[in-house]
Amino acid sequence: MSDALRLGAVIITQGNRPAELNALIESVRAQDGPPVELAVVANGAPLPPLPADVRTAESPENLGIPGGRNVGIELFGPDGRDVDVVLFLDDDGLLPNRDSAELLRRAFAEDPRLGIVSFRIADPDTGVTQRRHVPRLRASDPLRSSRVTTFLGGASAVRTAVFPQAGQLPGEFFYAHEETDLAWRAQDAGWAIDYRADVVLHHPTTSPARHASYFHNVARNRVWLARRNLPVPLVPLYLGTWFLLTLARRPSGDALKAWLGGFRAGWAEPCGPRRPMRWRTVWRLTRLGRPPII
């Protein structure tokens, strides 16, 4: 049954990690079962040398993470319809186990309402999974699989049937919270999201703050997320909660300045179309342990 599902993997790269990219491609090729199709998007950089059967696109400008992944989706046809499931993989990641593709095929085949799967990210040297990489509030046990309300963009798989109903990733976000935007829209369309601890991506332990625009984008996109997706009464609750949490974390002066600038930009700049989720979706997220006010 699981063999019927066609898988495609989207990898975006800026050309600065050729060895890691090649290792990732080989780990995808080594998967058990039918071959996983590969698509590589060079995001603001020239395409590196790649095998002839890899689908490719080269963008002269950096479209950001969601924009680059959207280009990759389209390499599999409109909304990715040439395949049944699209994997999003960071170019410095690696699939250490050969059965990951078959586990995904089985998961999607057995649950027709399963729209997205979030993998477990583990450091290749220590095996440790950072708490921020477990997409739920109760993150102390990364080895426990569960239904969740969001996912990790660089270690995930999305059923391509989700895109015509929920849309693709919000390209205007560039970086930060684009996964939650798609996750909320997908769940509003009736799709479910699972965190699967048995589907593992090796990725070096990093800090998200390594990106220069991290604090600005996190704040701006948090406002955009609320403006685009939440019923009006929940917008101030959601943003007020995150404002207080940010202050409680006592960021440095420069970080707080960047965060406040991003927060203001989130209100001043256009965020794309508004499509507030239904109240039954709010209740569904709440029952899963993460009401959309945190």
Side-chain angles (χ1 to χ4, degrees):
M1 177 174 63
S2 63
D3 289 350
L5 290 178
R6 301 161 297 167
L7 270 56
V10 170
I11 306 166
I12 58 173
T13 183
Q14 291 187 295
N16 55 350
R17 293 191 281 240
E20 292 90 339
L21 173 62
N22 286 328
L24 172 60
I25 288 173
E26 289 307 310
S27 75
V28 174
R29 289 180 178 277
Q31 292 297 301
D32 296 335
V36 178
E37 296 284 331
L38 279 156
V40 173
V41 178
N43 209 3
L47 273 167
L50 294 167
D53 60 341
V54 175
R55 306 184 192 206
T56 60
E58 187 176 273
S59 171
E61 63 174 312
N62 185 353
L63 302 174
I65 293 173
R69 287 184 178 142
N70 288 343
V71 171
I73 293 169
E74 294 297 305
L75 287 174
F76 294 114
D79 280 332
R81 67 186 179 195
D82 292 353
V83 294
D84 300 299
V85 175
V86 166
L87 284 65
F88 295 126
L89 303 172
D90 277 349
D91 69 346
D92 55 346
L94 187 81
L95 295 174
N97 303 324
R98 295 173 59 99
D99 64 348
S100 295
E102 281 293 87
L103 288 171
L104 290 169
R105 289 189 182 96
R106 193 173 305 123
F108 283 106
E110 291 175 352
D111 185 352
R113 295 314 300 168
L114 180 61
I116 302 173
V117 171
S118 190
F119 310 165
R120 179 166 65 89
I121 297 177
D123 184 273
D125 297 322
T126 66
V128 171
T129 297
Q130 295 177 272
R131 287 182 66 94
R132 69 184 182 89
H133 285 156
V134 182
R136 59 177 179 243
L137 292 180
R138 298 180 181 91
S140 59
D141 183 7
L143 299 181
R144 178 174 66 87
S145 299
S146 68
R147 193 136 283 183
V148 291
T149 62
T150 188
F151 66 102
L152 304 168
S156 61
V158 181
R159 194 189 296 266
T160 54
V162 169
F163 299 129
Q165 295 183 25
Q168 297 181 12
L169 294 157
E172 54 267 64
F173 279 39
F174 197 83
Y175 164 79
H177 303 319
E178 67 271 8
E179 302 96 342
T180 300
D181 188 85
L182 175 57
W184 282 358
R185 286 182 281 115
Q187 287 165 108
D188 200 48
W191 297 101
I193 305 173
D194 279 354
Y195 168 70
R196 288 287 298 260
D198 55 343
V199 182
V200 179
L201 182 86
H202 275 176
H203 190 281
T205 298
T206 57
S207 167
R210 70 191 186 279
H211 298 287
S213 59
Y214 171 76
F215 293 103
H216 179 277
N217 281 22
V218 160
R220 183 197 64 186
N221 294 0
R222 188 79 73 182
V223 176
W224 283 358
L225 192 63
R227 289 175 58 196
R228 287 163 59 97
N229 295 288
L230 291 182
V232 169
L234 295 186
V235 172
L237 291 174
Y238 179 79
L239 295 178
T241 297
W242 279 104
F243 195 96
L244 293 175
L245 280 173
T246 299
L247 294 179
R249 290 170 178 168
R250 302 178 67 181
S252 69
D254 287 343
L256 182 59
K257 182 179 179 181
W259 194 94
L260 291 172
F263 193 84
R264 287 192 296 269
W267 292 105
E269 297 174 7
C271 63
R274 172 168 165 78
R275 196 165 70 187
M277 66 178 67
R278 292 168 291 183
W279 283 103
R280 70 179 184 184
T281 304
V282 173
W283 175 237
R284 182 181 175 193
L285 298 177
T286 302
R287 289 178 60 195
L288 288 170
R290 190 140 196 175
I293 58 172
I294 189 170

